[in-house]
Amino acid sequence: MLLSSRTFDPAYDEHSFDHYFTGSVRPWLIPLAASQPPPFGPSAEGWPLSGGAAEAAAGKAAAGDEHSGQSTTPASDADSAPGEQPPRSPDVDPEAEQRLVPFPVASDAYRDLRAARGGVLWVKESRDEGELGSRRAQASGEKTPDQLIRWDFESRKSLTLAQKVTSYAVCSSGERVVVRHEDSVTVVPAVRTVEEDDAERVTVDLSRLRLQVDPAAEWRQMFAETHRLMAQQYWREDMDGVDWDAVGRRWRPVVEKVRCHSDLTDLLWEMVGELNTSHAYVLPQGEAPGAERALGLLGADLSSCDHGWRIDRILPGDSSDPKARSPLLAAGVGAREGDVITAVDGHPVDPVSGPAKHLVGAAEKPVELTLRREGAERRVVVVPVADEAPLRYQDWVRSRRDYVAAASGGRLGYVHVPDMQSTGWAQLHRDLHKASRAEGIIADMRFNGGGHTSQLVIEKLAQRVVAWNTVRHQPQALPYPESARRGPVVLVANEYSGSDGDIVNAVAQTLDIGPVVGVRTWGGVIGIDGRFDLVDGTRVTQPKYSYWIGRYGWGVENHGVDPDIEVIHDPGQLFTEEDPQLDRAVAEALRGLERTPAAAAPDLPAPRVADSAG
């Protein structure tokens, strides 16, 4: 029995013209004997109406095997007679896959298939939110948890053993299951569903657990584990010429001088740093101290004034990004630039430190502000955010979009891709459809934090309009492909374009999609998968996936991508209206339009049938 992703049932993307596959996993079974029917589906002898199905199936299998001379009765080595060979699986041949039979359940997101008495178990994953969690933003209630499902061979039906599961294990007898959901552990029967008050349901009292740790011994083991994992997972077996055993011997004595976890982290960083390879990380886990006292932020620029602190500027939110929520522009607040905050929860605003003193621990919690406007005061309720970064990021993107539009006279569109993960993919699609309607596109890859979706981004940027679709009652012809560029693409990069942010620029150059304007990128393209944690949860990574890229070969690692046109953005210009890199990118795109005008929809042809009245 196995779980396999063999279902190809595409659904339409709701934001762009695309198909996607989801819920493609299903449990499958391969009868080892060619003559043995599966425990569901048609059978020559039929199936019992109730009870005994498993025994009947076993009897049929045994009867069928009388002709093959092979036994299907399980036997351990201890039960076998001296010198007797244990039974072998019958008829496992190259055609065995043709006997693959799906369980009669719908394909979905399943994982962790395990055997239990009289059936099999698996986890059905919840799919009520995407990678970013935006689908449930401001929704009431908890997200739907994963469920533990049992398929029962006797009844030939599925049932839910546990409504909430993170992981589970089946006991050796197959009779009971240990189910973990977040920080709770319960033991339930493996053969039937039990209610909360059922005596067969046992909640494990984890509060009684005690753990003693010898930190020095643990640190020695963590050092050895980090060294071993790197030797096994590094992208080259020869460690790129580094004597890794010698590195371990040199740093191992230092472990005895470690006095705290921070010392160990520093030591591990020093050891893996000897490989001179990107993405070799040591990342302690755990919540930063004081998280429960996170400062509530109002999403505004404030300054001290008479009677309180003035709202100089309110950052506009973006309704498509739940994290970019503007507290002062929320419904019912009605704040304006120029309003003065005089009190927070009834406490006068400090003339020196401002509202922040009274917003400690107020992140994502209702807070009362007293606002003064033209001598009149009113009280409003706001919900401060814990992080202004998404709000300020969207404001920055908006300003760069307007900058490009102004500099090009509205001829060029603009997209920024902050990373090559789900966040960047979502951001690209916020702007690409509109940007592609312009004559050309500025694709800003500055500050791109990397990831793994560069090939998807390249696919989008490489498309160009090759046809037009004219539709009755549609004022403008539609480009083909949809969201393809009409004219030139110019990429912009800086020293913070890294990892997959390196790759996207190198591949764009290799494919001649467009020039790269800016400065040399970060230079780290040996990627990781983040599979391994140390015993205390510290995450260690092993550079495992190295890239050879046409124009650069192996040369991007530890060097970066050289821009086609170097433009240095001086730090002194970061907080001014100037953006010399965008200025040059716009100039290059307009120069490209002079050489090759943007694709434009053709005029309609003359009618095929001439007007006879003429």
Side-chain angles (χ1 to χ4, degrees), residues 295-299 325 327-328 344 359 362-369 381-387:
L295 179 66
L297 302 169
L298 299 177
R325 176 178 61 81
L328 295 178
V344 178
L359 292 174
E364 306 299 336
K365 300 175 183 177
V367 171
E368 180 186 277
L369 297 183
V381 175
V382 301
V383 181
V385 295
D387 183 9

Side-chain angles (χ1 to χ4, degrees), residues 225 229 232-233 528-534 538-542 544-545:
E225 183 83 346
L229 286 171
Q232 293 178 346
Q233 301 294 323
I528 54 179
D529 53 25
R531 292 173 54 198
F532 299 106
D533 295 340
L534 299 181
T538 298
R539 176 158 295 181
V540 290
T541 62
Q542 302 79 39
K544 186 175 182 178
Y545 306 90

Side-chain angles (χ1 to χ4, degrees), residues 226 229-230 233-235 244 268-269 271-283 419-421 448-454 495-504 521-532 539-547 549 556-560:
T226 301
L229 286 171
M230 189 66 78
Q233 301 294 323
Y234 190 71
W235 75 283
W244 189 237
L268 296 181
W269 273 109
M271 180 175 69
V272 300
E274 299 232 10
L275 291 168
N276 298 306
T277 307
S278 64
H279 296 88
Y281 301 141
V282 181
L283 306 170
D419 60 37
M420 295 299 171
Q421 301 179 62
N448 186 292
H452 55 272
T453 61
S454 62
E495 63 272 29
Y496 299 107
S497 307
S499 189
D500 219 22
D502 288 300
I503 294 171
V504 72
T521 61
W522 183 58
V525 294
I526 303 182
I528 54 179
D529 53 25
R531 292 173 54 198
F532 299 106
R539 176 158 295 181
V540 290
T541 62
Q542 302 79 39
K544 186 175 182 178
Y545 306 90
S546 186
Y547 279 86
I549 303 173
V556 176
E557 177 70 16
N558 284 336
H559 178 80

